[in-house]
Amino acid sequence: MKNFFSDISFNFINNSVIIDNNKENPLLLLEEHNSYYQLLKEKLKSIKIIPFSKKFELVTKLKEGYNFKYPFDLKVNSKEKEIYIADRENQAIKILDLNSLEIKDIIPIPAKINPRGLFVDRKWPNIIYVSCGDSGESTNIFKINKFTKEVIFKYDCGNDKRFITPSGMIVDDLTNRIYLCEEFNDHVRVISSENGEELFTFGHDHLSSPCGIDFTIDGDIIVSNFNGGKLFVFTKEGGLIKEIGVDLNSGLGVKVDPTNGDIYLCESWGDKITVFDRNGEFLKSFVGSVELEDQRLNKPYGIDLTHDGRLVISEKEGCCVTIYK
C-alpha cells in the first residue's frame, strides 16, 4: 500500500500538520481505504502545548486501585488524551484516561514477557510500540494495534543473544526508524519501523547501559545512561554531539520539553528528577518530600509531559504513577 503520509509534514514543536496542497491530498486517498480516517482527521488538529512550570507541585499519586507492579516506561498521548504505562510484572500495557485518570484499557503483552520501553506512533494514534524482555529471556519489539490488541509485527532478535535487555525507544516518522536502547549491549540499535530490518548501531564508545531516549528540540537524539553518570546527544546517524552532566545517578527515563528544550531526567537510584536547559546547563533537581512518605519519589523510571503542563512519572519501586504541575 502507498504511504499516504509521504506528502504530510509533521511539526512536533506545536503538534500541527501541514499538507502539501499541490499534491494529491493523501487524507482523501486514506479515506477510501481506512475507516479510521474520520477519527484520525479530528485528532490531527493542532494542540496548544503549555511548558511545565518546574515548580513540581504534586497533583496526585496513582496507586490504590491501579495494581501497578514495577511500572517501567510511560508515555502520554495528548491527542488521544491517554497515558500508557508499561506495567512490568503484570506483563501488560495499562491505558489511563488523561482527564479522569481512570483505567480505560489493558493490553496484555504477547508471550507473557515483561514490557520495558514504550512509544506511541505519531502518525497513527492506534499504534503502540513496546520493547520487552530481560537478559536471558526472549526479547522482542511488538508493534500493536491498541484497539484490536493484535500484533502488527514482531521483531525478535533474542535467539542469537544480540538483542539484549531492550529499553527505551523512539520512532522517527520522517525516516521510519526505530531507535532502541539496548541496556546490556551498550548501544542504540536502529531498526526500520516498516519491516523490522536492522540498519545500524551506535554509541558503543560512549554508552554504558543506555535506558532512556528522546528527540531534542533541535531534532537530534538524547540518550540516558544507567551507568557512566552522563547524558549523550547524538545525530540521527549516530555521531556524538555533546555530553551533559557529571555523576548523574542511574539515569533512566528522559524527556525533552518541546516548547523550550528543557531536559528532564529520572535519576532512579537518587530518587530524583534533574532538569537541564536545552544547552545542557543544570537548572535544578527535585527529590520530593523527605518528610511525607506518600510524596517521595521511589525509583522514578518513565517520564513524559502533557499538553497542559503536567509532568507524569512512573515509579518502579513505588509501584505508582505521580503527576506534578
Side-chain angles (χ1 to χ4, degrees):
M1 181 181 289
K2 177 183 176 181
N3 181 356
F4 297 110
F5 283 88
S6 60
D7 300 332
I8 299 180
S9 170
F10 283 77
N11 184 333
F12 297 128
I13 302 304
N14 59 19
N15 280 355
S16 64
V17 181
I18 303 168
I19 300 176
D20 187 344
N21 292 318
N22 294 320
K23 299 181 181 180
E24 188 174 17
N25 191 328
L27 288 181
L28 294 179
L29 291 173
L30 183 63
E31 185 176 17
E32 299 174 3
H33 294 273
N34 196 327
S35 60
Y36 189 60
Y37 163 73
Q38 291 297 338
L39 179 59
L40 177 62
K41 183 179 178 182
E42 291 300 315
K43 299 304 180 183
L44 289 179
K45 293 179 179 178
S46 297
I47 294 179
K48 182 179 179 180
I49 302 177
I50 300 172
F52 180 59
S53 68
K54 294 187 281 291
K55 294 180 180 179
F56 288 93
E57 297 178 2
L58 181 66
V59 175
T60 188
K61 191 178 286 282
L62 307 178
K63 187 168 185 177
E64 297 299 326
Y66 290 88
N67 191 32
F68 295 125
K69 293 183 178 179
Y70 300 104
F72 270 42
D73 205 2
L74 174 150
K75 289 291 181 289
V76 172
N77 186 337
S78 290
K79 290 186 182 296
E80 294 289 285
K81 296 181 173 58
E82 292 174 335
I83 304 172
Y84 306 82
I85 300 106
D87 199 354
R88 173 186 161 86
E89 296 299 317
N90 282 319
Q91 298 173 334
I93 301 168
K94 284 183 177 165
I95 303 177
L96 309 185
D97 184 279
L98 186 57
N99 294 324
S100 70
L101 302 178
E102 296 178 351
I103 297 176
K104 290 180 61 175
D105 204 356
I106 299 176
I107 301 176
I109 300 299
K112 294 184 178 181
I113 52 180
N114 296 328
R116 297 176 63 87
L118 287 175
F119 189 84
V120 181
D121 196 297
R122 298 178 189 270
K123 291 180 180 177
W124 299 97
N126 61 320
I127 301 301
I128 302 172
Y129 295 85
V130 55
S131 62
C132 302
D134 297 313
S135 180
E137 296 181 351
S138 175
T139 53
N140 306 272
I141 293 176
F142 293 105
K143 185 177 181 179
I144 299 173
N145 185 316
K146 77 172 185 181
F147 294 135
T148 66
K149 300 182 174 62
E150 294 176 344
V151 175
I152 298 170
F153 81 67
K154 179 183 78 169
Y155 178 58
D156 185 352
C157 204
N159 294 331
D160 59 12
K161 303 302 180 185
R162 289 179 298 154
F163 190 61
I164 303 175
T165 316
S167 194
M169 63 178 159
I170 52 176
V171 180
D172 184 359
D173 294 317
L174 301 179
T175 60
N176 296 316
R177 289 175 173 179
I178 301 170
Y179 291 83
L180 173 72
C181 293
E182 289 189 60
E183 189 173 344
F184 287 1
N185 271 338
D186 295 335
H187 64 217
V188 174
R189 188 184 296 271
V190 185
I191 306 159
S192 168
S193 62
E194 296 181 311
N195 56 27
E197 176 187 359
E198 292 184 56
L199 301 176
F200 60 94
T201 61
F202 65 85
H204 314 77
D205 296 332
H206 308 285
L207 299 175
S208 178
S209 298
C211 290
I213 187 168
D214 199 9
F215 292 109
T216 70
I217 197 169
D218 299 313
D220 298 310
I221 293 170
I222 187 167
V223 182
S224 68
N225 262 350
F226 189 77
N227 300 316
K230 294 180 180 180
L231 289 160
F232 292 89
V233 179
F234 298 92
T235 67
K236 289 184 179 180
E237 300 305 316
L240 179 66
I241 296 175
K242 63 182 175 182
E243 302 175 0
I244 296 174
V246 177
D247 296 328
L248 300 176
N249 195 348
S250 306
L252 289 176
V254 61
K255 178 62 182 178
V256 175
D257 189 326
T259 65
N260 55 26
D262 286 348
I263 302 160
Y264 295 85
L265 173 69
C266 293
E267 289 193 63
S268 184
W269 289 102
D271 292 331
K272 63 183 177 180
I273 306 299
T274 299
V275 188
F276 302 89
D277 69 14
R278 64 180 296 168
N279 298 313
E281 296 297 321
F282 173 82
L283 293 178
K284 69 182 299 183
S285 287
F286 174 77
V287 296
S289 173
V290 177
E291 294 79 16
L292 301 175
E293 183 175 353
D294 63 344
Q295 294 187 26
R296 296 174 190 168
L297 287 172
N298 192 348
K299 305 299 179 290
Y301 194 107
I303 187 167
D304 208 346
L305 292 160
T306 69
H307 68 285
D308 58 357
R310 290 177 287 169
L311 187 71
V312 187
I313 300 166
S314 59
E315 298 182 42
K316 177 185 170 186
E317 298 294 333
C319 294
C320 62
V321 170
T322 304
I323 301 176
Y324 297 99
K325 65 179 182 179

